[in-house]
Amino acid sequence: MNQQKRRGFFTGFAAALLIAGLTVSAASAYGRTISVEDDIRLSINGATFIPLDINGTAVEVFTYNGTTYAPIRAICEAVGLDVQYDGQNRVARIVDTSSGQMEDYISEDAARKAAFSHADVTGAAVTRSTLKWDDGRAVYEIDFTAGSAEYDYEIDALTGKILEYDIDRADSRPNQGASPADGLISADKAKTIALTKAPGASVVHCQLDYDDGRAVYEIELRSGRTEYDCDIDARTGAVLDWDVDYDD
């Protein structure tokens, strides 16, 4: 967002905020109940945005008499503005701490191609493709299937960088997709490693996942009333995490 556009945004939003403050004060002084239109959805530069308070709870956005009212801090911080509240003087100070201009987002098609290329798949069927605002940045969430595997990707809408990805391969798929070319151990090998730590248990779930770029088998086992959760490095076979839970 260039400076001229940012100033325009700020001016319009500040005016709406002032009206909101006066409306709330009038309602407090006279105890008047007003009717509003709720279930208003927001987007920032085309990305779905859900405003949250400092506790991470979603804040309702509503329209009253043709004006939409939304939380100032959540929206300003989302567009790169810092909000400081002066409790003594009852002033919300908005500070532009940004430098530079916002770049254009990559296209949705480009985001899909980035995900397909990273997953090394062709003929994928997209089940979800969404541009949203997440943790201060615009991201594409691309979900698709290929063969018997399901893929979930999160891609930076500005740079096209792969931020997160998850691959869920059906247990019926041979070797869970862990071919020698992948450099991964097979799902059966991972299960065997887990079972050596819990003799007599049965595997109830085995999924290949990616955590911070590391391929990990997430395995759940059960023996009677005892449940085991195990994470195994899909390249080295090392047990990364082991948890035991006993049913009462």
Side-chain angles (χ1 to χ4, degrees), residues 227-244:
E227 294 181 354
Y228 306 89
D229 291 318
C230 179
D231 288 349
I232 295 178
D233 190 306
R235 294 193 179 278
T236 67
V239 177
L240 304 174
D241 187 52
W242 181 262
D243 183 67
V244 182

Side-chain angles (χ1 to χ4, degrees), residues 175-203:
N175 288 333
Q176 298 287 307
S179 64
D182 294 325
L184 308 181
I185 65 174
S186 69
D188 288 340
K189 176 64 175 179
K191 292 176 184 179
T192 299
I193 294 172
L195 287 170
T196 59
K197 291 180 63 65
S202 299
V203 175

Side-chain angles (χ1 to χ4, degrees), residues 137-180:
R137 75 171 104 192
V139 300
Y140 283 105
E141 291 187 344
I142 313 291
D143 298 349
F144 56 96
T145 60
S148 59
E150 297 179 356
Y151 301 80
D152 300 332
Y153 271 77
E154 187 171 291
I155 299 173
D156 191 304
L158 285 177
T159 66
K161 178 182 178 181
I162 307 296
L163 300 175
E164 295 182 12
Y165 62 100
D166 178 80
I167 303 174
D168 185 6
R169 293 185 168 88
D171 287 344
S172 59
R173 185 171 179 175
N175 288 333
Q176 298 287 307
S179 64

